[in-house]
Amino acid sequence: MTMFGIGDSIHFTFDEHRRQRISVPEPFLPLAAWLHTDVQPNLAALDGLIEQLRHCRQIERRLLGNGCSIDFVNDVVLLESLYRTWQRCVIPQSLFWPVLDGLRNFLIGTAAEPGLARPAGLPEPTRMTTEVPARNNQSPHLVDHTYFPVSWSEQEVAQAGDGAWASPELIYDQATGAWSGMWRGMELAGYYDVATGEALTYFPVLSP
């Protein structure tokens, strides 16, 4: 099943698995991939990320997410795949910030929907931002990742990744290499090599 919809505007919704679904104009498919894999549909996490993005813009720092990097240059945002699954996407800041505001308003407006209630016992991923100093000819930058529950073993993490990649609920986007699958009620997302069909990475998604 196709992961992202193509339309004249940017539109958000949820599917029956509580997964965020996004439609965008075709040139902005990388933006949809970033929104799904790096931003994620959790209001508290979104507020924290927006704060980090504003900080990065102010101090001219690059932000590395689960699968993408963000740089602010003059009045544009440079969005790049960390796995080289698409070409650099240049987004005007006049579009970038309103999209995040629109997502935030969407999450606020849907927060009370019964179908989005968190199931009992669903594993709780975490999110953390760390600052990396300059080293090895690399400029200082921030890293913002989501992580599996700290109590999980490496075997449990690998099992979840393999299970989500092979799940009947798998959806993917051939233009960006983004994918999403389900494992025991929890969404995992990642990127895959479009040429080989091999999964490159996976990580947990913070649900509403």
Side-chain angles (χ1 to χ4, degrees):
M1 182 185 297
T2 301
M3 188 167 180
F4 304 122
I6 303 297
D8 295 330
S9 62
I10 297 175
H11 178 71
F12 303 105
T13 187
F14 284 105
D15 68 11
E16 67 273 23
H17 304 293
R18 301 170 68 246
R19 289 187 295 191
Q20 180 176 248
R21 304 302 299 273
I22 306 169
S23 295
V24 295
E26 191 167 2
F28 293 112
L29 281 170
L31 177 62
W34 176 73
L35 289 168
H36 191 98
T37 64
D38 290 24
V39 178
Q40 305 187 1
N42 179 281
L43 183 58
L46 175 60
D47 284 344
L49 178 62
I50 289 173
E51 183 178 343
Q52 291 294 343
L53 289 166
R54 288 173 176 160
H55 178 61
C56 286
R57 180 178 61 176
Q58 182 178 11
I59 67 173
E60 299 182 347
R61 289 287 187 272
R62 178 185 245 195
L63 180 68
L64 305 183
N66 287 323
C68 313
S69 72
I70 289 279
D71 275 306
F72 295 95
V73 179
N74 299 323
D75 59 349
V76 301
V77 175
L78 303 181
L79 178 61
E80 296 188 77
S81 167
L82 298 179
Y83 297 93
R84 299 183 180 180
T85 56
W86 75 74
Q87 299 294 319
R88 172 188 286 179
C89 183
V90 180
I91 304 167
Q93 289 197 44
S94 59
L95 171 65
F96 180 80
W97 297 109
V99 166
L100 291 178
D101 287 341
L103 174 57
R104 189 176 190 278
N105 291 334
F106 168 74
L107 294 178
I108 291 173
T110 57
E113 290 187 6
L116 297 179
R118 188 175 182 83
L122 191 67
E124 188 73 54
T126 58
R127 187 167 195 159
M128 183 183 301
T129 303
T130 55
E131 190 158 358
V132 180
R135 61 188 178 192
N136 300 328
N137 297 321
Q138 190 174 41
S139 301
H141 58 276
L142 298 182
V143 175
D144 181 83
H145 284 172
T146 54
Y147 298 91
F148 290 93
V150 294
S151 61
W152 283 23
S153 66
E154 290 185 10
Q155 182 179 1
E156 288 174 308
V157 170
Q159 186 180 28
D162 292 342
W165 177 244
S167 68
E169 299 85 9
L170 178 69
I171 53 177
Y172 55 88
D173 176 56
Q174 291 183 322
T176 63
W179 67 271
S180 166
M182 302 296 297
W183 174 251
R184 297 180 177 174
M186 180 173 68
E187 181 187 4
L188 274 66
Y191 288 90
Y192 75 100
D193 187 325
V194 176
T196 66
E198 176 186 4
L200 299 172
T201 187
Y202 54 83
F203 34 80
V205 174
L206 299 175
S207 56

